Amino acid sequence: MEQVVYRIRRFDGRKEFWQEYRFAHEANKTVLWGLLKIKETVDPSLAFVAACRSAVCGACAVRVNGEAMLACETPLDALLERFGATLVLEPLGNFPVIRDLVVDWEPKAARLAEAKPWLVPREEFSAEAGCRQSQAEFRRINAQTNCILCGACASECNKLTTGDDDFYEPFVYTKAGKFVADSRDGAAADHLRPVLARGLWKCVHCQECVTKCPKRVAPAEDIAALRRASIRLGLADNQGTRHARAFAGDITKTGRLNETTMAVKTDGLLKSATRLPFALRLLRRGKLNPFHFPAPVEGIDGVRAIVKAAKEAKE
Amino acid sequence: MQTFDVLVIGSGGAGMRAALEAGARGGLAVGLMTKMFPTRSATGMAQGGINGFLGNADPTDSVAKHVFDTVKGSDYLGDQDAIAFFCGQAAAAIREIDYYGVPFSRDGDGRIAQRNFGGQSAPRTCFSADKTGHVILHTLYEQCLKHGVKMLTDRLLLDLAVDDDGLCGAVALDIRTGQVVPVRAKAVVIATGGAGRMYWSRTTNPFASTADGMAACFRAGIPLKDPEMVQFHPTGLAGTGILMSEASRAEGGYLYNNAGERFMARYAPEKMELATRDLVSQAIETEIREGRGFGTGLSAYVLLDLRHLGREKILERLPGIRDLAMTFERVDPVEAPIPIRPSCHYTMGGVDVTDFRTGGTALAGLFAAGEAACVSVHGANRLGGNSLADIMVFGKCAGAGAADYALGRDRKAGDGALAAKAAEWEERLAAAMARDDGPAVASIRDRLAEAMWNKVGIFRRGGEMKEAAAAIDGLTEEYARCAVGDDSRVFNTALVNYVELGNLLAMAKAAVLGALNRTESRGCHLREDYPARDDANFLKHTLVTLAGTRYELSYRPVVVTDYQPAERRY
Ligand SMILES: Cc1cc2nc3c(=O)[nH]c(=O)nc-3n(C[C@H](O)[C@H](O)[C@H](O)COP(=O)(O)OP(=O)(O)OC[C@H]3O[C@@H](n4cnc5c(N)ncnc54)[C@H](O)[C@@H]3O)c2cc1C
Ligand code: SF4
Ligand code: SF4
Ligand code: FES
């Protein structure tokens, strides 16, 4: 491949247009390298942002052929191999665009602040003495602290695409989830209430946030953990929780609902519990027959034991 | 016009810590201005850790040892009163951010874990896996959200405005609208980070480290202190300069030359790979120059080997490093050694801070902290882990200093000076955007970087540096007629790059001037034509001041309290 073509969706503040740029291919470069090459040798007016060029600041996330990724760490060759010489670059989805590939983070920051994403230290700790935490407790928040606020998850979130007013960006749940999971924090409810009030049970489980996150953060799992915590703390009196409870009840009684027990077998009960609302939607759309009451499964005691164990397990 | 009691410029660790401190005073209008979204800062890139005497990993450690390590590390160019203050505050600063929510890796007792770092006599570096700076930055950002700090995002500081009554505030480019906006402030904290981009692609720094705050203070009459003191980190990835954190040596990584030899045995037999950065960088470059590296010319390198640490330890302690090596060099350190070469890493010099307790400068109301500032605690060579501690300790000091100053100040509005500065910049930016036949910004920038790396790099000589100085003057002339290449007012990043290049040129010129006149070798500043340290003549700080358009040199003695200069051996 001699030439690479970036087909870029541009916006000058008023109108949108598409523009194609061609430049010579070089092996072992990144998507960001191509953007810089265009800016420095072809068209200085192309706007995009980047800072660390090492996948830790979150500035350079863009959409390439419909998928959000960090331009600075994505190997160009891999994309060219997959898609051919022409790549389509667009700004992140579900963000207001300022110019070209640059998006507006300010409204997102304001929404993030609503979820109270800060530590409320337990009383036994102080600014003078600091906190105590075991390495195991540290590990429990280690995944969420990888979040670099790049926005890739928000860009691809299917729920957010349907209109973002009743749902937060996935990273907002991750941030809230981090503090609920932090053994140093003494105010889980403070972090939970805002996300419960906005969208916690509305995630459609498409897993886009998990697959698109460049830092191996899994917002969908954080959403599940927040739901569990809200039930545990008795905060949740809403449709989502009630359905989930009823569902869990059915399973305890009969052990039926094969899809779910399958999920239990593959994922473990805790993880699969997050899929229950999905089953509810199937039900609503007539894909599950609610009038079919199956007999208890063989080995129902085992199923009940699992449910009991899950209830007893802290997380 | 936006008006603040305290305006903090730069949202890295130093700026956010300062803004929080000023905000916590209550009753003050505090603004935090930054040229990108707040969490896109160099601070977030710091992987290794933050130093402070806690005694968790080694009960025999002490503040005094931290002081001595820092003094010795600085090659005796650090001010010992400031260093004693700094080391005395570091532990409290760390406990405080633990309380703010920084997730530290822990020891068996649930206390903050500590590890060994280059140039230290005890394991004193606290860390969070290998993303310490990232978690500190994000925790401070969370605290800023909590305290409702007013963030001015996408605002590029252009200059400070000063009149007969003193500091009036700052003039900035609102990058979103292209408007030049004056911002009134009683006190300003400069926390805009370092100048590593003088070396453009041979640096570990982000694109934003372009000396903006240093240059603005310089133009406002504040001296630049020790601008020649530029730290090179030994282990940048060979291809990109991206950092393999010192944690990789701290956890036990080895360095090999092309003969398979652990060459550090020749340079620092006791400390080996854990000698200070200046020594290890110089050792690597010597190996390469003497033909014991791999490859040739600018793409030559040596190897950093982690394989003997084992997969588990690499995954637990160095996951970020592994990711970077795999992404940018296509090497998995679990299976193969990593090609590395020194890369410009840290600016020890900067805005001349004259009161380390407040971050105050010679201009009343102007404070500086972090890498933009020179206090000086790092002297001629900063120890790994001391910068994050620096930005927590002195960021807090500067925030408090600025808040106190603002509380006591009842100034008449300096709107005249602000308006004049804004008009001056408006005209300059409009002219630069309108030109379409001048040299390109990127071309000038690349030639600046080349001159700096080849002639003002790890090894320095008078003759070559004179050539570099001439080259910078030539580039500065070209800069005056260069073309931005984009005349849009909306988010014009080419215009931002244009402003940044002007600042890099100013800083580079000061750095070369300081380096040329320091006819000795000390820390990172290695003069091949003057290989010995010369305490009789150079136990002093360089000060470069702008007088009209001339760069003037002067000196200030180093503060020596407890430790008389001694030979530095590792
Ligand atoms: C890759 C890497 C790894 C490192 N690892 C370590 C480590 O392990 N331990 C350690 O102690 N130190 C480490 N350091 C050094 C340390 O991270 C930095 O020195 C420190 O974070 C600097 O903090 P700061 O707040 O002064 O500046 P920065 O974090 O650089 O922040 C500067 C801020 O100013 C803003 N800014 C700049 N110019 C303007 C302008 N004109 N207008 C408005 N805003 C502006 C920037 O956008 C940014 O927000 C490392 C550095 C790098 C690059
Ligand atoms: S799983 Fe939920 S949060 Fe994640 S992308 Fe899909 S809808 Fe959004
Ligand atoms: S969760 Fe992942 S994708 Fe979403 S903002 Fe954080 S790092 Fe980016
Ligand atoms: S430039 Fe920082 S994440 Fe890509």
Side-chain angles (χ1 to χ4, degrees):
Chain A
M1 198 171 295
E2 309 249 291
Q3 289 249 307
V4 182
V5 183
Y6 276 12
R7 192 171 142 70
I8 300 182
R9 190 168 99 202
R10 299 197 61 184
F11 176 66
D12 63 8
R14 278 190 302 272
K15 62 177 193 313
E16 202 180 285
F17 56 101
W18 287 86
Q19 192 161 350
E20 277 189 11
Y21 297 98
R22 278 157 207 283
F23 51 94
H25 175 255
E26 281 178 40
N28 288 335
K29 301 292 185 191
T30 60
V31 172
L32 178 61
W33 170 84
L35 285 170
L36 289 165
K37 182 114 179 151
I38 291 170
K39 189 161 185 73
E40 290 175 6
T41 62
V42 186
D43 180 1
S45 82
L46 179 68
F48 55 90
V49 282
C52 69
R53 51 93 176 81
S54 53
V56 289
C57 78
C60 69
V62 290
R63 248 182 178 175
V64 183
N65 289 16
E67 289 182 19
M69 56 187 78
L70 297 179
C72 69
E73 71 156 2
T74 305
L76 197 48
D77 291 338
L79 290 180
L80 296 174
E81 201 166 291
R82 211 168 120 204
F83 299 112
T86 303
L87 299 178
V88 179
L89 274 74
E90 297 169 87
L92 293 182
N94 296 326
F95 275 80
V97 180
I98 300 177
R99 181 176 174 190
D100 298 344
L101 301 174
V102 182
V103 297
D104 191 353
W105 267 87
E106 261 177 311
K108 306 291 181 187
R111 282 157 63 89
L112 176 60
E114 289 173 9
K116 299 199 182 357
W118 47 77
L119 188 77
V120 182
R122 290 176 177 280
E123 267 177 27
E124 63 261 39
F125 302 135
S126 71
E128 292 69 38
C131 308
R132 289 265 170 139
Q133 180 167 57
S134 72
Q135 180 69 3
E137 288 163 339
F138 161 79
R139 282 213 192 90
R140 214 171 286 155
I141 50 173
N142 197 25
Q144 290 99 320
T145 63
N146 281 337
C147 174
I148 57 175
L149 293 181
C150 70
C153 55
S155 171
E156 307 311 308
C157 171
N158 283 310
K159 172 58 193 159
L160 216 49
T161 307
T162 65
D164 67 1
D165 244 22
D166 62 346
F167 194 69
Y168 282 129
E169 290 67 18
F171 59 76
V172 175
Y173 300 102
T174 286
K175 279 267 189 189
K178 179 178 86 172
F179 292 103
V180 171
D182 195 328
S183 65
R184 296 170 298 172
D185 191 280
D190 286 6
H191 309 294
L192 269 164
R193 272 193 203 97
V195 292
L196 258 177
R198 203 184 290 215
L200 185 59
W201 289 90
K202 292 182 175 156
C203 161
V204 303
H205 306 281
C206 65
Q207 300 294 322
E208 285 290 321
C209 54
V210 182
T211 53
K212 296 301 180 306
C213 176
K215 304 306 288 185
R216 297 184 211 115
V217 183
E221 282 175 24
D222 296 317
I223 288 172
L226 283 166
R227 289 175 175 178
R228 288 195 299 272
S230 71
I231 295 172
R232 204 172 56 234
L233 293 174
L235 284 172
D237 185 23
N238 56 46
Q239 207 189 20
T241 334
R242 282 193 301 273
H243 277 303
R245 280 222 180 91
F247 235 88
D250 281 355
I251 293 170
T252 319
K253 266 182 229 130
T254 68
R256 282 290 175 195
L257 194 80
N258 290 340
E259 290 82 13
T260 318
T261 47
M262 270 304 287
V264 171
K265 279 184 199 135
T266 29
D267 282 345
L269 183 65
L270 286 178
K271 211 163 163 199
S272 61
T274 67
R275 308 257 155 80
L276 290 179
F278 178 69
L280 284 171
R281 276 198 316 284
L282 294 181
L283 195 93
R284 233 179 279 130
R285 297 195 184 133
K287 290 183 180 168
L288 281 177
N289 182 355
F291 300 109
H292 172 66
F293 295 106
V297 288
E298 239 173 83
I300 179 66
D301 290 345
V303 174
R304 286 178 188 145
I306 294 173
V307 174
K308 186 159 173 277
K311 273 190 184 147
E312 283 165 9
K314 277 210 174 112
E315 276 269 313
Chain B
M1 196 189 302
Q2 267 178 314
T3 304
F4 295 99
D5 295 304
V6 174
L7 175 64
V8 179
I9 304 173
S11 66
M16 291 220 216
R17 187 66 194 82
L20 262 184
E21 195 61 20
R25 290 289 158 104
L28 288 174
V30 179
L32 179 58
M33 179 197 283
T34 176
K35 67 177 168 181
M36 300 189 81
F37 184 69
T39 51
R40 326 280 187 230
S41 308
T43 300
M45 300 168 74
Q47 303 155 339
I50 175 168
N51 292 347
F53 159 69
L54 298 176
N56 290 352
D58 177 358
T60 69
D61 193 18
S62 66
V63 171
K65 282 188 183 174
H66 190 187
V67 172
F68 180 68
D69 290 343
T70 305
V71 170
K72 179 180 171 190
S74 81
D75 216 349
Y76 296 89
L77 192 69
D79 288 332
Q80 295 181 14
D81 55 349
I83 292 175
F85 174 81
F86 164 67
C87 297
Q89 300 285 314
I94 292 168
R95 294 200 185 94
E96 197 169 51
I97 55 176
D98 180 7
Y99 186 69
Y100 284 163
V102 171
F104 282 107
S105 293
R106 303 282 163 171
D107 68 11
D109 295 329
R111 301 174 305 178
I112 296 171
Q114 297 186 287
R115 67 176 156 212
N116 259 314
F117 240 42
Q120 294 183 36
S121 55
R124 187 184 297 133
T125 304
C126 311
F127 59 96
S128 177
D130 59 359
K131 50 183 179 184
T132 314
H134 164 74
V135 293
I136 291 177
L137 183 73
H138 280 257
T139 300
L140 290 174
Y141 177 62
E142 291 155 9
Q143 291 292 319
C144 284
L145 289 178
K146 174 178 176 186
H147 290 284
V149 169
K150 170 81 185 152
M151 312 228 189
L152 311 173
T153 317
D154 299 326
R155 290 291 166 88
L156 178 77
L157 165 73
L158 297 170
D159 256 325
L160 299 165
V162 185
D163 68 8
D164 294 343
D165 283 333
L167 185 68
C168 317
V171 171
L173 174 72
D174 182 339
I175 301 172
R176 291 165 180 225
T177 64
Q179 300 307 307
V180 175
V181 289
V183 184
R184 269 195 216 110
K186 288 185 184 169
V188 170
V189 178
I190 294 290
T192 47
R197 284 281 159 181
M198 289 189 293
Y199 295 82
W200 200 250
S201 54
R202 256 192 201 279
T203 178
T204 65
N205 289 189
F207 294 120
S209 295
T210 51
D212 299 354
M214 296 170 182
C217 291
F218 184 56
R219 288 189 293 264
I222 312 290
L224 290 172
K225 185 156 71 195
D226 299 335
E228 69 273 27
M229 294 303 177
V230 177
Q231 177 168 70
F232 293 86
H233 197 293
T235 52
L237 288 178
T240 52
I242 288 171
L243 182 72
M244 292 288 94
S245 144
E246 190 155 314
S248 60
R249 288 182 293 134
E251 295 294 347
Y254 296 153
L255 290 168
Y256 287 112
N257 62 18
N258 68 11
E261 188 191 3
R262 264 180 85 190
F263 56 83
M264 282 313 297
R266 255 202 306 286
Y267 304 88
E270 272 175 48
K271 286 272 176 182
M272 295 295 287
E273 281 84 358
L274 281 175
T276 52
R277 290 174 176 179
D278 52 345
L279 294 182
V280 183
S281 293
Q282 288 157 9
I284 294 171
E285 285 296 303
T286 306
E287 291 297 301
I288 288 172
R289 289 212 311 191
E290 294 178 356
R292 291 188 295 277
F294 300 83
T296 51
L298 268 180
S299 50
Y301 59 88
V302 298
L303 292 174
L304 169 67
D305 198 352
L306 304 177
R307 286 174 299 182
H308 57 282
L309 300 179
R311 184 187 176 82
E312 206 169 295
K313 189 160 182 192
I314 293 176
L315 260 49
E316 167 82 17
R317 293 287 181 92
L318 305 167
I321 283 176
R322 176 167 182 252
D323 283 351
L324 290 173
M326 299 208 317
T327 306
F328 295 99
E329 286 287 341
R330 266 142 254 276
V331 163
D332 182 349
V334 170
E335 281 150 18
I338 314 163
I340 56 99
R341 177 142 194 206
S343 184
C344 167
H345 185 55
Y346 185 83
T347 324
M348 267 82 71
V351 179
D352 176 27
V353 167
T354 46
D355 179 356
F356 58 78
R357 286 189 173 78
T358 63
T361 66
L363 176 62
L366 182 66
F367 302 80
E371 200 174 334
C374 178
V375 165
S376 123
V377 295
H378 309 304
N381 173 63
R382 170 179 71 85
L383 295 184
N386 262 0
S387 173
L388 289 178
D390 165 341
I391 63 181
M392 290 304 99
V393 169
F394 292 114
K396 181 175 177 173
C397 289
D404 288 342
Y405 181 84
L407 281 170
R409 187 174 188 206
D410 180 25
R411 65 161 285 122
K412 294 166 223 71
D415 293 0
L418 279 164
K421 257 291 171 253
E424 186 188 317
W425 272 98
E426 173 58 43
E427 200 176 312
R428 190 177 140 190
L429 297 182
M433 283 193 283
R435 275 194 298 271
D436 50 16
D437 57 348
V441 169
S443 143
I444 300 176
R445 181 202 73 199
D446 287 347
R447 283 176 288 151
L448 170 67
E450 210 180 290
M452 291 303 284
W453 175 258
N454 289 329
K455 302 186 158 125
V456 204
I458 293 176
F459 296 106
R460 300 170 171 188
R461 285 173 188 278
E464 285 176 358
M465 286 198 288
K466 283 198 185 112
E467 290 167 24
I472 292 169
D473 285 342
L475 293 170
T476 306
E477 265 167 44
E478 279 189 48
Y479 177 70
R481 53 191 167 79
C482 75
V484 168
D486 178 9
D487 60 3
S488 168
R489 287 279 170 176
V490 184
F491 222 96
N492 188 334
T493 50
L495 185 64
V496 172
N497 295 156
Y498 160 80
V499 173
E500 293 171 335
L501 176 60
N503 296 327
L504 286 175
L505 284 163
M507 182 67 188
K509 186 172 162 117
V512 178
L513 188 66
L516 253 175
N517 284 278
R518 187 176 279 280
T519 48
E520 64 156 354
S521 290
R522 185 184 295 270
C524 68
H525 174 68
L526 198 159
R527 289 283 301 253
E528 291 183 290
D529 43 358
Y530 296 92
R533 199 175 75 191
D534 178 359
D535 288 329
N537 292 303
F538 287 102
L539 196 59
K540 59 189 185 185
H541 298 291
T542 304
L543 295 173
V544 182
T545 314
L546 190 66
T549 55
R550 269 202 354 273
Y551 286 51
E552 284 185 349
L553 264 176
S554 57
Y555 291 91
R556 184 189 299 148
V558 168
V559 178
V560 175
T561 56
D562 293 340
Y563 304 102
Q564 285 308 311
E567 195 195 341
R568 207 165 57 120
R569 290 253 280 287
Y570 287 100

